[in-house]
């Protein structure tokens, strides 16, 4: 649908639909059109929520001021959405919708993503996530298709792996759930070569399981399969 419409990035609802097709857990959320509806969604979800603006050009939400976390109540969320709209407008950007998402408590922030190599095809990445992802540079890569051994090895090769195992009294993460999420992303990328870039950041690795709190997906028409030169034997 997105390719037919000539779009490069999937919308927030499309990302949700695609991840749901592959059984990738995301926090309970509502996608709404404006600030007033965002406030109503927060009242429906109850408890602390995160507010995120989505739209063309709104890719790095933290840098653009397009995300607010730990908001409670309809009034606070509606006010934050109006402030977000004004801030983005000053930068020449307009939100197409807002995502009001139930906050996930605890967990270690990770990145799980996909890039496309011109020779090897889809490559899955797993590493330290959050806003410091570029600073830390702690990442493991594997070419699709992935095996269960690949997923386990990727996680355990990270310098930040101890954070997932109870480092200094923290609660250990559910590692099988995290491995399963990585395998599902690998299957998604290996099936849909239209996906040029996929970022789940952060993926929250909690004791109850791994959950993708934010997603962005870029698509391109798939390249034709490469063939080996006929002179090779």
């Amino acid at each position: 649908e997105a390719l037919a419409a000539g779009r490069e990035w999937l919308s927030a609802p499309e990302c949700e639909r695609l991840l749901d097709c592959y059984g990738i857990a995301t926090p309970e959320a509502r996608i709404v059109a404006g600030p007033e509806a965002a406030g109503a969604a927060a009242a429906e979800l109850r408890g602390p929520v995160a507010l995120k603006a989505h739209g063309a050009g709104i890719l790095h939400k933290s840098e653009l001021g397009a995300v607010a976390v730990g908001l409670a109540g309809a009034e606070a969320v509606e006010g934050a959405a109006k402030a977000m709209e004004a801030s983005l407008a000053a930068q020449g950007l307009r939100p197409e919708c807002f995502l009001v998402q139930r906050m996930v408590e605890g967990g270690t922030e990770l990145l799980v993503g996909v890039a496309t190599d011109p020779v090897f095809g889809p490559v899955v990445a797993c590493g330290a996530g959050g806003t410091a992802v570029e600073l830390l540079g702690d990442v493991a890569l594997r070419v699709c298709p992935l095996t269960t051994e690949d997923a386990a090895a990727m996680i355990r090769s990270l310098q930040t792996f101890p954070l997932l195992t109870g480092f200094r009294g923290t609660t250990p993460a559910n590692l099988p759930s995290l491995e399963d999420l990585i395998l599902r992303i690998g299957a998604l990328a290996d099936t849909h070569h239209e996906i040029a870039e996929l970022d789940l950041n952060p993926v929250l690795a909690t004791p109850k399981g791994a959950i993708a709190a934010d997603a962005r997906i870029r698509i391109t028409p798939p390249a034709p399969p490469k063939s080996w030169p006929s002179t090779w034997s």
Side-chain angles (χ1 to χ4, degrees):
E1 293 171 5
L3 284 173
R7 289 187 286 108
E8 184 181 12
W9 293 90
L10 295 190
S11 66
E14 288 167 341
C15 287
E16 291 278 335
R17 284 169 54 195
L18 183 57
L19 295 179
D20 185 60
C21 285
Y22 281 81
I24 296 164
T26 58
E28 185 179 4
R30 304 288 185 272
I31 297 172
V32 298
E36 186 175 340
E44 183 180 341
L45 289 172
R46 302 181 181 181
V49 299
L51 174 71
K52 303 173 185 179
H54 287 265
I58 306 175
L59 299 177
H60 300 285
K61 296 182 182 62
S62 297
E63 290 88 339
L64 294 172
V67 58
V69 299
L71 301 173
E75 185 176 344
V77 172
E78 182 175 347
K82 289 179 178 177
M84 204 174 282
E85 268 189 335
S87 174
L88 290 168
Q91 301 173 72
L93 299 168
R94 184 181 67 83
E96 296 171 3
C97 65
F98 288 95
L99 181 73
V100 183
Q101 187 180 67
R102 189 184 300 281
M103 291 288 293
V104 178
E105 296 183 2
T108 300
E109 291 188 339
L110 296 169
L111 161 74
V112 177
V114 175
T116 301
D117 183 272
V119 175
F120 296 106
V123 178
V124 175
C126 173
T131 56
V133 57
E134 290 89 358
L135 179 64
L136 295 174
D138 184 20
V139 64
L141 303 171
R142 292 292 188 281
V143 175
C144 289
L146 300 185
T147 66
T148 54
E149 290 79 10
D150 287 329
M154 289 172 75
I155 297 168
R156 287 158 180 79
S157 71
L158 300 176
Q159 296 180 25
T160 47
F161 175 68
L163 295 176
L164 301 170
T165 61
F167 180 73
R168 292 194 173 181
T170 58
T171 306
N174 184 327
L175 294 182
S177 173
L178 179 57
E179 293 167 7
D180 182 68
L181 183 146
I182 293 170
L183 288 170
R184 289 173 184 271
I185 287 296
L188 188 160
D190 205 28
T191 303
H192 304 288
H193 288 190
E194 298 88 349
I195 294 174
E197 179 183 347
L198 181 152
D199 288 322
L200 303 183
N201 185 23
V203 169
L204 296 168
T206 76
K208 294 182 179 179
I211 187 165
D214 195 62
R216 61 175 188 158
I217 302 172
R218 183 172 68 86
I219 56 171
T220 59
K226 293 182 180 295
S227 59
W228 298 111
S230 58
T231 55
W232 286 19
S233 60

